[in-house]
């Protein structure tokens, strides 16, 4: 970049500026990437976004739903491992790779501890998602945001659906062929 800063930091600076200029009493920023933040990065986020305005909401989903979803995302990103091979790595005792990446995101106890240690436990909320009640999470957000109940509505979004096994295996086969061809 022209300023000598990584593009992601320029994006972060712009986002922080936008949040600080917001006239609304509450602003929502949502990203799974916050799950990867180290204690030092969390300190910066808290400082930049103003500790007094900040509240962190962590949504918890059942591990049985997270595992296939995470594998699919990895395959979409170019991974060639079968689901079974990936699971063996995630649950194996060898550090590194898929195991560390998965548990960095999904050791929810450690994720919550990292944020609570910097921000304070009173400013961190964990919600266990109810797979049968898709509106429940919206009601929680309404309460945290001070919105009237029913303001947020569930919309069926097919653009973020999971792939079928046949679809993900087709993508994986493409990845294997591309890797074999040196692409």
């Amino acid at each position: 970049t022209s300023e000598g800063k990584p593009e992601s930091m320029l994006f972060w600076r712009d986002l922080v500026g936008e949040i600080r200029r917001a006239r609304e009493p509450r602003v929502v920023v949502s990203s799974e990437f916050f799950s990867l933040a180290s204690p030092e990065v969390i300190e910066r986020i808290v400082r930049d976004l103003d500790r007094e305005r900040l509240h962190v909401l962590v949504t918890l989903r059942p591990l049985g739903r997270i595992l296939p979803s995470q594998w699919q995302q990895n395959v979409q990103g170019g991974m060639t491992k079968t689901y079974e091979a990936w699971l063996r790595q995630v649950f194996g005792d060898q550090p590194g790779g898929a195991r560390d990446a998965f548990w960095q995101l999904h050791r929810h106890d450690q994720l919550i501890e990292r944020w609570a240690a910097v921000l304070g436990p009173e400013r961190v909320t964990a919600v266990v998602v109810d797979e049968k009640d898709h509106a429940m999470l919206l009601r929680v957000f309404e309460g945290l945001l001070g919105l009237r109940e029913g303001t947020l509505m569930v919309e069926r979004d097919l653009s973020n659906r999971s792939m079928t096994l046949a679809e993900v295996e087709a993508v994986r086969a493409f990845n294997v062929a591309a890797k074999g061809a040196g692409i």
Side-chain angles (χ1 to χ4, degrees):
T1 65
S2 60
E3 296 181 36
K5 293 184 179 182
E7 189 173 323
S8 60
M9 285 309 297
L10 293 175
F11 174 79
W12 176 250
R13 189 186 68 205
D14 290 346
L15 179 63
V16 168
E18 185 178 340
I19 291 168
R20 287 183 178 172
R21 289 186 303 275
R23 297 181 190 269
E24 296 80 8
R26 292 175 182 91
V27 176
V28 176
V29 178
S30 177
S31 174
E32 287 183 21
F33 291 114
F34 288 118
S35 300
L36 299 171
S38 66
E40 298 77 27
V41 172
I42 292 171
E43 288 277 357
R44 166 115 194 228
I45 293 167
V46 169
R47 185 177 60 249
D48 288 354
L49 295 182
D50 183 4
R51 175 183 307 274
E52 297 308 311
R53 290 187 68 194
L54 194 59
H55 192 102
V56 171
L57 175 70
V58 179
T59 56
L60 309 175
R61 288 180 168 73
L63 193 58
R65 301 274 297 182
I66 291 171
L67 287 162
S69 174
Q70 191 71 60
W71 174 70
Q72 283 188 15
Q73 287 180 2
N74 290 340
V75 169
Q76 289 174 5
M79 186 177 74
T80 59
K81 288 185 183 77
T82 65
Y83 186 50
E84 293 78 15
W86 181 80
L87 285 174
R88 280 193 294 279
Q89 201 173 22
V90 166
F91 287 106
D93 56 6
Q94 297 298 314
R99 177 180 177 261
D100 291 354
F102 180 84
W103 293 113
Q104 173 72 18
L105 278 172
H106 301 295
R107 274 297 307 266
H108 298 127
D109 58 329
Q110 292 176 2
L111 168 64
I112 292 166
E113 283 177 14
R114 282 194 308 273
W115 281 92
V118 174
L119 192 55
E122 68 283 354
R123 294 188 174 274
V124 178
T125 299
V127 176
V128 178
V129 175
D130 183 347
E131 298 285 329
K132 294 177 183 156
D133 181 3
H134 298 284
M136 182 273 292
L137 189 56
L138 298 178
R139 301 295 82 82
V140 170
F141 268 100
E142 288 169 345
L144 288 171
L145 295 171
L147 300 173
R148 181 177 31 85
E149 188 173 328
T151 300
L152 302 176
M153 305 296 291
V154 175
E155 288 189 23
R156 190 160 184 237
D157 181 8
L158 297 178
S159 66
N160 193 25
R161 71 169 178 84
S162 295
M163 291 188 288
T164 66
L165 181 58
E167 290 168 334
V168 74
E169 282 297 337
V171 172
R172 195 179 71 74
F174 173 82
N175 294 345
V176 169
K179 186 175 181 178
I183 298 174

